[in-house]
Amino acid sequence: MLVAISMDGNNQLYPLVYAIVDNETDRSWKWFMSNLKCSIGEPDNLVFVSNWMVSISNAIRAFFPTTFHGLCTCYIKQNMVTNFKDSTVVGIFRDAARIFRMTEFQTKWDELRSFRDNAITKYLEDIGLQRGMLQLWFYERRNYWASRMTLHFDYCETRLASETDKGRQYRIEPIDCYRVHMRDNRLDDIVNLHTKECTCKEFDALGISCSNAIVAAKEQNIPIHSLCNQFYTVDSLMIAYAKPINPLATYLNGRDLLDM
């Protein structure tokens, strides 16, 4: 089975398309990608994440040549456990994979470089669902969010609360009506409320206000939820799960059991 999965605004798996094929070959993956492109087009900032399979890479290059293709960090982590058998290395890699700021990533990368005479970083550089479950997911998530009164998902609300706590000690130095210079004892950033960007890169990457943006927004009397991407609104999720997943027809002796 070939499957393309995305993430919804509540940080949950969202199945896009799937297909049943004989083998995972170049031909089957290219056929799959051609149909995926017909379904979703080629939206801006599209990113593919997969395991390390040449056929997948070939198909992505053929049908989505302008997109970025990365490897799944869980897949890489499992390979590192198998190849290097060092929990410390795996822990540093896990931390590095979750970092937004380039300077902090470089620190973790330098730590990895110190292991095994650079063998870890060289390895990383060289790397370059059943339908019934889908039916249940769509039904449960659609009903759950239809009964909620909040405008944004739990994931967004939880992250905003966490980021708000981080910014309590920040010092604010306004630059103009949109840009604000933020300082604390460790970091030094500039946030732009108009373009929804911050030098920490977290605001840009996630579309959820980072701690800098939250402090700056409160200083300017701007509601922090208004800065979050529409992707995280309950309305957008209800649209995503609006169409029901119907069960597969079950056949017995060439006849549909549902018609018996």
Side-chain angles (χ1 to χ4, degrees):
M1 178 180 285
L2 311 183
V3 184
I5 293 174
S6 182
M7 302 294 290
D8 67 21
N10 201 39
N11 206 35
Q12 302 171 120
L13 295 178
Y14 182 83
L16 294 174
V17 293
Y18 75 93
I20 298 174
V21 297
D22 292 333
N23 293 291
E24 293 190 59
T25 62
D26 267 21
R27 182 180 179 183
S28 61
W29 272 112
K30 286 181 178 178
W31 171 81
F32 180 82
M33 289 296 175
S34 68
N35 283 279
L36 177 62
K37 189 165 186 175
C38 289
S39 298
I40 68 172
E42 195 168 353
D44 293 337
N45 301 317
L46 179 64
V47 173
F48 283 92
V49 178
S50 71
N51 61 14
W52 193 3
M53 177 176 280
V54 175
S55 293
I56 297 177
S57 297
N58 291 341
I60 292 173
R61 283 198 301 270
F63 292 96
F64 298 91
T66 63
T67 62
F68 177 79
H69 178 206
L71 296 182
C72 173
T73 55
C74 291
Y75 169 82
I76 297 174
K77 186 170 67 175
Q78 289 172 358
N79 280 0
M80 292 181 72
V81 170
T82 301
N83 294 334
F84 300 106
K85 298 178 175 61
D86 189 323
S87 59
T88 301
V89 167
V90 174
I92 297 172
F93 168 76
R94 183 189 61 243
D95 292 342
R98 297 175 178 177
I99 288 174
F100 292 95
R101 195 184 298 271
M102 191 61 193
T103 53
E104 294 178 356
F105 173 82
Q106 190 61 57
T107 299
K108 292 295 180 181
W109 187 257
D110 290 341
E111 288 183 47
L112 289 174
R113 197 188 300 276
S114 67
F115 286 90
R116 307 278 184 92
D117 294 326
N118 208 27
I120 309 293
T121 49
K122 185 179 187 305
Y123 165 75
L124 294 173
E125 289 168 347
D126 289 344
I127 288 179
L129 296 165
Q130 294 182 356
R131 192 176 182 94
M133 180 64 75
L134 304 187
Q135 184 178 333
L136 181 62
W137 281 0
F138 271 58
Y139 174 78
E140 288 183 342
R141 293 175 185 179
R142 185 167 55 242
N143 283 3
Y144 175 76
W145 288 106
S147 66
R148 296 296 298 272
M149 302 301 293
T150 58
L151 295 178
H152 291 79
F153 306 141
D154 294 342
Y155 172 72
C156 180
E157 296 289 354
T158 300
R159 193 167 189 98
L160 286 175
S162 174
E163 293 299 310
T164 298
D165 286 339
K166 289 182 184 178
R168 296 192 186 281
Q169 304 300 319
Y170 289 0
R171 299 188 300 277
I172 304 171
E173 298 176 1
I175 299 173
D176 55 34
C177 59
Y178 293 116
R179 293 183 301 150
V180 178
H181 188 190
M182 312 297 300
R183 294 176 182 270
D184 70 0
N185 294 329
R186 187 172 61 93
L187 302 176
D188 189 334
D189 289 301
I190 294 176
V191 60
N192 188 320
L193 297 176
H194 178 63
T195 60
K196 298 182 180 180
E197 296 175 303
C198 182
T199 52
C200 76
K201 296 301 180 184
E202 187 176 328
F203 194 12
D204 316 32
L206 295 180
I208 299 177
S209 305
C210 61
S211 55
N212 296 314
I214 289 172
V215 175
K218 288 182 176 180
E219 181 71 11
Q220 301 286 354
N221 292 318
I222 298 174
I224 60 174
H225 288 82
S226 68
L227 298 175
C228 296
N229 193 293
Q230 288 295 310
F231 174 71
Y232 296 106
T233 63
V234 171
D235 285 345
S236 70
L237 184 140
M238 291 300 296
I239 292 171
Y241 289 102
K243 188 174 181 180
I245 300 294
N246 295 313
L248 287 175
T250 305
Y251 292 91
L252 179 62
N253 296 326
R255 288 191 298 166
D256 190 342
L257 287 178
L258 298 179
D259 294 332
M260 294 179 64

